[in-house]
C-alpha cells in the first residue's frame, strides 16, 4: 500500500494540530516550529514519503539516521515531602503548620521521561495511526474512554486536522457516567453501591508489547490490505524500532529512577502519539475479562485509570480489617483477573508485570439507607468546574492570589482553629485565575496590577515553583501582556534561582533534570514573547529557536491574540496590542498549515476590522474566502443579508 504525498502532508497537519493544543510539551512545539520554518521543509516531507514507501522502511538508511537523533527529557513528577507536609508525621508531638516552601534544596522524589526525537519520527507515528493504528482503536469498546481516535480517520476522503477525539470530553464521559450510574442504583433502585478506582503503577514504562501480537490483531480484523510481501506491516515495524531505540537511550538513567523494570521490557515512549493507541489496545483483554466475569454496573478505563461501579449488599468494612484488599480479592482476584503479587500489590493475570498498588486504590461504599450528600456534592463540583468560563466574572475581579491559589485542609469542623491540618496549593483555581487575569488585560488597557504581581512572586517560591513548572508559560504570558517589565525580570530571576536548587538522589539524574527545566523555562519565555509587545524583552534565542519562529509557524496561543486571526496575516507587530491602524494581507503559508479550525465569526471580525486589503470584495465574501482557505471547505449554514436602506 503506497503512502501518497497528500497523506504525508495530511499527517503533518494532524501532527501540528495535536502539538498546537498540547499545553505542556514545549520541546516538541519548538522542534515542530523549526522543522516547518526551515528552508528544506518540503524536502523533509518528501524524505518521509520516500522512506515509508521503501520495501523495508525500518532498514532504510535515512530512517536509521533519524533513530540516532532520539533523546529524552526529564520532568519532575513528585517532590519529596517538605516542612509544610509534615503536619501529621508525628501526631504525638503536636501539629506544625507553615507556609514556608523555600529550602536550600528542592528534592525531587520521582521523575517522568518524555520522548524527544526528530519530527520525521513523529510523522511516521501519525502515518501508522492513520493507516494501521486506527484498526486497533476500532476494536476497542465504549468502556475505553481515553485517547480514542477521531472517527474521521475511517473516512476515505478525510482531510480534517483531527487525530484524537477531544480529551476533556472523553475524561468527562469516563468520570461522569460512572457517578450517574452509581446515583441511579442508590436512588432509583435503592441498592448499595461500591465505587472502585484503580491505577496501574508506572504503566507506560512496564508495558511489554509483542509487536507480532499487534500485527496478528490487525490481521484478525481482516481490514488491513497490504501488498508488501517483504514486510506486511512496514510502519508497525518502524514503531517497534523507534520504541526499542528510545528504550536503549533512556536505559542508563531509567535503571536508576524506575527500579524493578527488566531490561527486556521496552515500554512505550511518553510523548509519541502511537503510544496512546498501543497503550489502549494492550489492556483490551483486561477490559473484556472485567465485563464478562465481574459484570459491573459500570466499567470505564481512561488509559490506565480504571473505574468500576458495582452493587454491593453489605459494607465491605464490616468484617474486614482491610476492606480495600478484601473487596479487590473478592471482585478481581477470585475471578482470576488479578492475582496477589504480595506486598500490597496485585498483578494483571493476562499481562504479567503490570501492577496495581493497593495504596493507590480508592474504594467508596454508599449505603442506600444513608445520606449520599457527599456523592451529590462531588458531582455538583465537577459540573461547576466543567462550566467555568475563561472570562473574568465581576464578583471575582478583586480576588487575590491567596484567595484562589491556596486552600485550608481541615480535620473535623471548619469553624475550629484546631481543625486546620494544613495548607494546600490549588492548581485548578490558580490556572483559572491566571487565564482570567490575562484575558482581563487583553480586554482593557489597565496598568499592571501590583497586587497580582506580588502574589505571583510569593506563590512561585521554593517547592511551588518547581511543582507548578507547567504554569510558568501562563505566568510569563500574563506579565508580558500586562507589560509588567519589573515583575517579569524579577520573576525570571527568581525562577532561575529556584531551578538551581533542584536535586535528586542521583547526580546524573539531577544534571539532566536541571538542564531540561532550564530549557522549559526558556521555551516558556519564547511562547510568551510570541504574543507580547516587541519591547518587553523576553527571549532572544532559545534552544536554537527564536520566538519569532514559533510565531511564523503559528504555534502560539491564539487565545492571547487581541484581534482575531491577526496571527494569520503578514502583521509583524505585537499581537497583544490593539494595533488599530494596519494594512496587511493573509499569509499563505500560515493559512495552508493552520493548526486549528477557525470559526466563521473570527473570519468576519477580521474582514470587518479594516486591516485587510479587500479590494472589490465585500467583507462577507472576504470572510468566506478566509474560512474556505483555512478550513478547506466552504462555510455552511450562514447567509448574507444585504443592509436595508431605511430611507427607501
Amino acid at each position: 500500500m503506497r503512502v501518497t504525498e497528500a497523506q504525508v502532508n495530511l499527517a503533518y497537519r494532524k501532527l501540528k494540530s495535536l502539538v498546537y493544543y498540547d499545553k505542556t510539551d514545549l520541546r516538541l512545539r519548538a522542534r515542530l516550529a523549526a522543522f516547518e520554518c526551515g528552508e528544506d521543509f518540503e524536502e523533509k516531507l518528501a524524505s518521509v514519503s520516500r522512506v515509508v514507501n521503501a520495501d523495508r522502511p525500518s532498514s532504510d538508511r535515512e530512517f536509521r539516521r533519524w533513530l540516532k537523533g532520539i533523546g529524552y527529557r526529564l520532568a519532575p513528577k513528585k517532590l519529596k515531602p517538605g516542612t509544610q507536609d509534615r503536619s501529621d508525621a508525628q501526631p504525638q508531638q503536636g501539629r506544625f503548620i507553615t507556609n514556608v516552601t523555600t529550602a536550600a534544596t528542592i528534592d525531587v522524589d520521582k521523575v517522568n521521561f518524555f520522548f524527544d526525537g526528530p519530527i520525521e519520527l513523529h510523522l511516521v507515528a501519525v502515518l501508522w495511526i492513520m493507516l494501521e493504528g486506527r484498526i486497533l482503536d476500532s476494536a476497542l469498546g465504549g468502556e475505553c474512554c481515553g485517547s480514542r481516535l477521531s472517527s474521521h480517520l475511517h473516512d476515505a476522503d478525510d482531510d480534517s486536522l483531527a487525530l484524537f477525539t477531544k480529551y476533556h470530553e472523553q475524561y468527562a464521559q469516563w468520570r461522569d457516567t460512572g457517578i450517574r450510574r452509581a446515583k441511579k442504583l442508590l436512588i432509583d433502585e435503592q441498592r448499595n453501591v461500591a465505587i472502585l478506582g484503580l491505577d496501574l503503577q508506572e504503566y507506560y514504562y512496564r508495558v511489554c508489547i509483542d509487536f507480532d501480537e499487534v500485527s496478528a490483531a490487525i490481521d484478525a480484523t481482516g481490514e488491513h490490505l497490504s501488498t508488501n510481501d517483504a514486510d506486511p506491516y512496514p510502519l508497525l515495524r518502524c514503531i517497534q524500532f523507534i520504541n526499542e531505540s528510545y528504550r536503549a537511550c533512556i536505559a542508563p538513567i531509567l535503571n536508576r529512577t524506575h527500579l524493578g523494570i527488566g531490561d527486556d521490557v521496552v515500554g512505550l515512549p511518553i510523548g509519541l502519539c502511537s503510544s496512546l493507541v498501543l497503550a489502549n489496545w494492550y489492556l483490551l483483554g483486561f477490559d473484556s475479562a472485567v465485563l464478562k466475569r465481574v459484570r459491573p454496573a459500570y466499567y470505564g478505563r481512561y488509559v490506565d485509570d480504571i473505574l468500576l461501579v458495582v452493587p454491593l449488599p453489605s459494607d465491605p468494612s464490616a468484617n474486614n480489617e482491610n476492606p480495600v484488599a478484601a473487596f479487590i480479592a473478592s471482585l478481581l482476584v477470585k475471578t482470576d483477573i488479578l492475582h496477589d503479587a504480595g506486598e500490597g500489590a496485585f498483578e494483571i493475570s493476562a499481562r504479567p508485570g503490570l501492577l496495581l498498588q493497593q495504596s493507590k486504590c480508592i474504594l467508596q461504599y454508599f449505603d442506600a439507607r444513608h445520606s449520599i450528600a457527599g456523592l451529590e456534592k462531588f458531582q455538583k463540583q465537577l459540573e461547576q468546574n466543567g462550566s467555568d468560563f475563561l472570562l473574568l466574572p465581576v464578583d471575582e475581579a478583586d480576588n487575590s492570589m491567596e484567595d484562589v491559589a491556596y486552600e485550608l485542609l481541615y480535620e473535623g469542623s471548619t469553624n475550629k482553629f484546631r481543625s486546620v491540618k494544613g495548607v494546600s496549593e490549588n492548581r485548578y483555581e490558580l490556572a483559572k485565575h491566571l487565564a482570567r487575569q490575562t484575558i482581563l488585560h487583553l480586554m482593557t488597557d489597565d496598568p499592571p496590577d501590583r497586587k497580582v504581581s506580588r502574589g505571583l512572586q510569593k506563590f512561585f517560591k521554593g517547592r511551588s515553583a518547581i511543582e507548578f513548572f507547567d504554569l510558568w508559560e501562563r505566568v510569563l504570558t500574563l506579565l508580558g501582556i500586562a507589560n509588567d517589565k519589573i515583575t517579569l525580570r524579577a520573576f525570571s530571576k527568581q525562577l532561575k534561582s529556584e531551578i538551581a536548587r533542584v536535586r535528586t538522589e542521583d547526580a546524573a539524574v539531577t544534571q539532566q533534570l536541571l538542564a531540561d527545566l532550564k530549557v522549559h523555562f526558556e521555551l516558556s519565555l519564547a511562547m510568551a514573547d510570541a504574543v507580547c509587545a516587541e519591547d518587553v524583552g523576553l527571549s532572544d534565542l532559545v534552544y536554537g529557536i527564536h520566538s519569532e519562529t514559533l510565531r511564523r509557524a503559528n504555534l502560539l496561543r491564539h487565545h492571547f491574540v487581541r484581534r482575531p486571526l491577526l496571527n494569520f496575516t503578514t502583521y509583524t507587530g505585537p499581537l497583544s496590542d490593539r494595533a488599530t491602524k494596519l494594512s496587511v494581507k493573509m499569509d499563505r503559508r500560515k493559512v495552508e498549515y493552520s493548526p486549528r479550525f477557525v470559526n466563521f465569526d473570527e473570519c468576519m471580525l477580521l474582514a470587518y476590522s479594516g486591516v485587510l486589503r479587500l479590494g472589490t470584495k465585500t467583507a462577507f465574501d472576504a470572510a468566506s474566502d478566509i474560512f474556505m482557505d483555512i478550513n478547506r471547505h466552504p462555510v455552511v449554514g450562514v447567509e448574507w443579508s444585504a443592509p436595508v436602506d431605511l430611507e427607501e
Side-chain angles (χ1 to χ4, degrees), residues 301-318:
R301 177 169 62 84
Y302 194 89
V303 188
D304 60 338
D305 284 331
I306 299 161
L307 188 65
L308 292 97
V309 176
V310 294
L312 198 63
S314 58
D315 189 340
S317 65

Side-chain angles (χ1 to χ4, degrees), residues 31 51 229 261 521:
R31 273 190 177 272
V51 169
D229 296 331
I261 300 178
F521 167 68

Side-chain angles (χ1 to χ4, degrees), residues 75-82 85 106-112 258 359-360 427 463 466-469 502-505 513:
K77 180 181 180 181
K78 180 183 177 183
L79 303 185
K80 289 185 177 180
D85 299 315
I106 302 172
D107 298 316
V108 176
D109 188 29
K110 294 182 179 180
V111 296
N112 262 333
H258 293 68
S359 59
K360 292 188 176 181
R427 177 185 296 272
R463 291 166 48 85
I466 304 304
E467 187 173 358
F468 295 91
F469 75 95
V502 171
R503 296 289 184 274
T504 69
E505 293 182 352
L513 183 58

